[in-house]
Amino acid sequence: MDLAKVTSKGQVTIPIDIRKKLGLKNGDKVLFVEEAGRIYMINSSMDAFREAQMEFAGEADRVGLRDDEDIVNMIKELRKEGVVDR
């Protein structure tokens, strides 16, 4: 367990062990989430990435992409059509 002091401006220094566990670097943003009476601090970039993963879940199956070769072929086809630049 780590302890941090709150300044008069409401600022805290996140202990280095916690920053490492959250993958936080200088300039990163953190997200505070309340859930079941507890407050969680989350790396906002990682949370956005997880949300994007959830949104895209099942899309590969929906469009018939089964493996890397299917993806490469799809990109080649899109390039032929001029939809994707090289």
Side-chain angles (χ1 to χ4, degrees), residues 48-67:
F49 182 69
R50 274 190 224 105
E51 282 193 33
Q53 281 181 313
M54 289 180 356
E55 290 294 324
F56 283 108
E59 285 300 306
D61 289 335
R62 187 182 70 74
V63 296
L65 300 174
R66 293 171 296 288
D67 55 28

Side-chain angles (χ1 to χ4, degrees), residues 60-61 63-79 84:
D61 289 335
V63 296
L65 300 174
R66 293 171 296 288
D67 55 28
D68 291 349
E69 188 176 334
D70 287 345
I71 294 169
V72 169
N73 290 335
M74 180 185 75
I75 292 170
K76 286 179 181 178
E77 188 61 36
L78 290 170
R79 284 181 176 157
V84 176

